[in-house]
Amino acid sequence: MAAPPIAPASTWAPLASRVFRALWIAQLVSNLGTWMQTVGAQWLLVEEPNAATLVSLVQTATTLPVMLLSIPSGVLADLLDRRRLLIGAQSAMAVCALVLAGVTAVGRITPALLLTLLFLLGIGQAMTAPAWQAVQPELVPRNEIPAAAALGSMSNNIGRAVGPAIAGVLVSLVGPTLVFAVNAASFVGVVAVLVRWRRPTADQDLPAERPFAALQTGLRFIRAAPAIRRVLLRSILFIGPASALWALLPVVAHARLGLSSSGYGLLLGALGVGAVAGATQLTWLRRTLSPTRLLALAAVLFAVATLAAASVPVAGIVLVALVFGGFSWLTALSTLNSTMQLLLPGWVRARGLSVYQLVFMGGQAVGSLVWGVVAGSFGVTVALWCATGLLALCALTTVWLPVRVTSLDTTPAAYWPEPVLEFEPEPEDGPVLVLVTYHVPAAAAADFTSAMARVGRSRQRTGAMEWRLYRDVGVADRYIEAFVVRSWDEHMRQHQVRLTANDRLAEQRVGEYTTGESHTLHLVAVRPVQPVRTWRRG
């Protein structure tokens, strides 16, 4: 059922693509600006009452929009031109960042206004993330997708390593206004590269999907994909406790270690340096360890970094521990992200990645808020100790909940024969009932039903609302597969767009246990015509 294993490409291989290289450099500059903004925003709040809660709300304000808009933005990224969507979102973020810089410059910034503007920037990020990740497989070969994911994480973490250090110096010298202005300017490069990129347009014979129907289809795909659901579960188990260190590190720097804003920048820089170092070794790590073991190692190392931040009063030791924390953060993100991209076919990739973003970024938003409340009630040290214990438990659960990584072949494969029609249904006619008849020898019945379970998941992933396998009580060897699709248009998308080579393999496996040809019947629901009532007097 699986394609041949994919040989890991060098971490730097995707940079050979001119478009990928230009987009990566532009995104790196933007990430520098974003992390500079984060430091400036958090440092504005460290001397406010309830600083622990307010500082943690900075991350919540920028990541909470992902919980609200990630899935709708994934739907839009699958339905609209992803390049144009990215241009619009990045331009809007530049405007918000410029407003933030202007308000701060005139001294009118307040915690509430700061968090509101950060929330608006988070909306832009929510609209950007699924489309940004979904275009990567369009730019590099399949075997380079893990490397592209690692480079994406490296870009973010170079920003995390260098941006905070620059921001710390600028904030200490001239205040946060310049930091916010630099972030506004950083979006210009991304927009410029996107404007120059001429993305190939795919021929589309079918009408555009309706947004709500596309949303339902995407969620149905996730429900019918156990391997993807496992990746999402592992994301929750890691990001929940890991968010404590990111949320509370400003308070650790200010209150426990007595550092200035530049010192806090160095702590974030240590995390970024570790992540960059991890990215350079990721190809070797993927050859040596399975994805499940990589995630276990990442959880253990991040637990060590969190424990050091909670318990060690020496800034130098904490810096070293945070380097290992950054290494583990990059390892976890790259492993989870690349696995999702490899498991998702192109037609639903943005929707699937949006669910991943919802789980991951939403976990950060909720986790940051929870850990901020815990720290405000019981102290920062207790909160970080609790997070350390949960990270250790996360590593332990890989024994029972491993990542199911299979190199499935998601290449499009339109292999179903076109139905023979006496009349052409309208696109919105439906529901459509499809019946497929099989003849199965008694000796092969058990293997047949087992193979049909995979076919059933395939039908549901590609659009079936319901799926059942029946046995004919009147004919000993006859089985009938029945599945229902919302509309004729949806069924035609199954025929022409959504099937993959892996789906073909599943059906070929069923064919090994059947005799003769299978027969397919298409039935379109008919709305009964209500009889006209006639009224008689008397």
Side-chain angles (χ1 to χ4, degrees):
M1 296 300 297
I6 298 176
S10 164
T11 300
W12 314 108
L15 294 177
S17 165
R18 180 181 59 83
V19 177
F20 181 91
R21 182 172 62 251
L23 285 172
W24 185 81
I25 293 172
Q27 184 67 3
L28 172 61
V29 174
S30 180
N31 283 330
L32 284 169
T34 298
W35 280 99
M36 290 172 66
Q37 171 190 267
T38 299
V39 172
Q42 289 178 326
W43 208 256
L44 274 175
L45 299 173
V46 293
E47 295 183 357
E48 294 285 336
N50 300 318
T53 301
L54 285 174
V55 167
S56 66
L57 283 175
V58 169
Q59 278 200 5
T60 300
T62 54
T63 57
L64 184 59
V66 178
M67 297 185 64
L68 304 176
L69 297 175
S70 179
I71 293 179
S73 67
V75 172
L76 290 176
D78 277 333
L79 300 186
L80 303 178
D81 184 280
R82 290 168 184 166
R83 169 181 166 273
R84 293 182 179 179
L85 180 62
L86 287 169
I87 291 173
Q90 292 287 303
S91 299
M93 293 173 73
V95 172
C96 289
L98 188 61
V99 170
L100 176 58
V103 173
T104 304
V106 298
R108 306 292 293 180
I109 195 68
T110 64
L113 181 56
L114 173 64
L115 294 173
T116 299
L117 289 170
L118 292 178
F119 185 82
L120 293 175
L121 285 162
I123 291 176
Q125 181 62 31
M127 300 300 295
T128 296
W132 190 269
Q133 293 195 48
V135 299
Q136 290 185 11
E138 300 178 23
L139 305 176
V140 298
R142 181 176 173 82
N143 70 313
E144 293 181 7
I145 289 177
L151 285 171
S153 297
M154 180 189 292
S155 169
N156 189 40
N157 285 285
I158 289 176
R160 183 178 284 130
V162 179
I166 297 174
V169 173
L170 292 179
V171 169
S172 63
L173 293 177
V174 297
T177 300
L178 181 59
V179 170
F180 297 149
V182 169
N183 182 50
S186 71
F187 292 108
V188 175
V190 178
V191 173
V193 174
L194 289 169
V195 168
R196 294 189 61 184
W197 175 34
R198 293 295 178 261
R199 181 173 179 251
T201 57
D203 295 332
Q204 179 61 270
D205 296 329
L206 297 169
E209 286 186 83
R210 293 185 177 182
F212 186 70
L215 172 61
Q216 290 178 311
T217 301
L219 296 178
R220 193 179 298 120
F221 181 95
I222 298 295
R223 288 198 301 268
I228 290 177
R229 294 202 309 270
R230 180 59 57 83
V231 175
L232 297 176
L233 175 60
R234 293 249 48 107
S235 300
I236 294 171
L237 293 175
F238 177 76
I239 194 60
S243 62
L245 182 60
W246 294 108
L248 299 176
L249 193 59
V251 182
V252 171
H254 181 72
R256 292 198 68 253
L257 301 178
L259 300 176
S260 64
S261 61
S262 58
Y264 168 55
L266 287 176
L267 295 182
L268 282 179
L271 284 162
V273 167
V276 173
T280 62
Q281 301 300 315
L282 200 55
T283 300
W284 176 81
L285 286 172
R286 289 199 302 267
R287 292 193 181 109
T288 306
L289 299 174
S290 69
T292 298
R293 291 184 178 180
L294 281 174
L295 292 174
L297 175 65
V300 169
L301 290 179
F302 209 84
V304 171
T306 303
L307 182 62
S311 307
V312 177
V314 181
I317 298 176
V318 174
L319 278 171
V320 174
L322 291 179
V323 170
F324 287 98
F327 176 93
S328 60
W329 181 260
L330 183 282
T331 300
L333 262 65
S334 177
T335 301
L336 293 166
N337 187 286
S338 62
T339 301
M340 284 291 293
Q341 294 200 38
L342 289 170
L343 291 173
L344 289 166
W347 67 269
V348 75
R349 182 174 293 124
R351 278 167 279 185
L353 288 170
S354 72
V355 175
Y356 169 73
Q357 289 291 329
L358 171 64
V359 169
F360 203 96
M361 300 291 288
Q364 277 192 297
V366 175
S368 297
L369 178 59
V370 169
W371 293 118
V373 172
V374 172
S377 302
F378 303 100
V380 172
T381 300
V382 171
L384 292 175
W385 280 349
C386 292
T388 300
L390 290 176
L391 283 164
L393 183 61
C394 171
L396 186 62
T397 59
T398 58
V399 176
W400 301 285
L401 299 171
V403 174
R404 298 172 180 173
V405 179
T406 52
S407 298
L408 300 180
D409 189 351
T410 58
T411 305
Y415 59 91
W416 282 0
E418 290 298 312
V420 179
L421 304 176
E422 288 294 329
F423 70 93
E424 181 72 33
E426 294 297 324
E428 290 304 313
D429 284 351
V432 177
L433 172 62
V434 182
L435 302 176
V436 186
T437 302
Y438 305 91
H439 292 277
V440 184
D447 291 330
F448 169 79
T449 55
S450 175
M452 283 299 296
R454 292 181 179 271
V455 171
R457 288 195 291 271
S458 167
R459 307 292 197 233
Q460 292 171 307
R461 285 195 302 269
T462 55
M465 299 186 298
E466 300 177 23
W467 180 88
R468 289 279 184 178
L469 180 64
Y470 297 89
R471 184 176 181 182
D472 191 337
V473 297
V475 181
D477 67 343
R478 185 158 66 189
Y479 290 76
I480 299 177
E481 175 194 8
F483 61 94
V484 179
V485 186
R486 182 187 63 84
S487 66
W488 185 252
D489 171 65
E490 192 85 354
H491 185 52
M492 286 299 97
R493 292 182 190 280
Q494 285 184 303
H495 273 265
Q496 301 175 22
V497 177
R498 295 176 180 173
L499 293 171
T500 66
N502 187 64
D503 298 316
R504 187 207 297 260
L505 286 174
E507 295 191 36
Q508 289 175 344
R509 182 66 181 274
V510 167
E512 297 174 6
Y513 307 114
T514 63
T515 59
E517 293 291 329
S518 62
H519 299 281
T520 303
L521 187 65
H522 297 82
L523 306 175
V524 178
V526 177
R527 293 184 178 91
V529 178
Q530 297 296 329
V532 178
R533 294 184 178 182
T534 59
W535 297 90
R536 296 181 180 177
R537 293 185 179 181

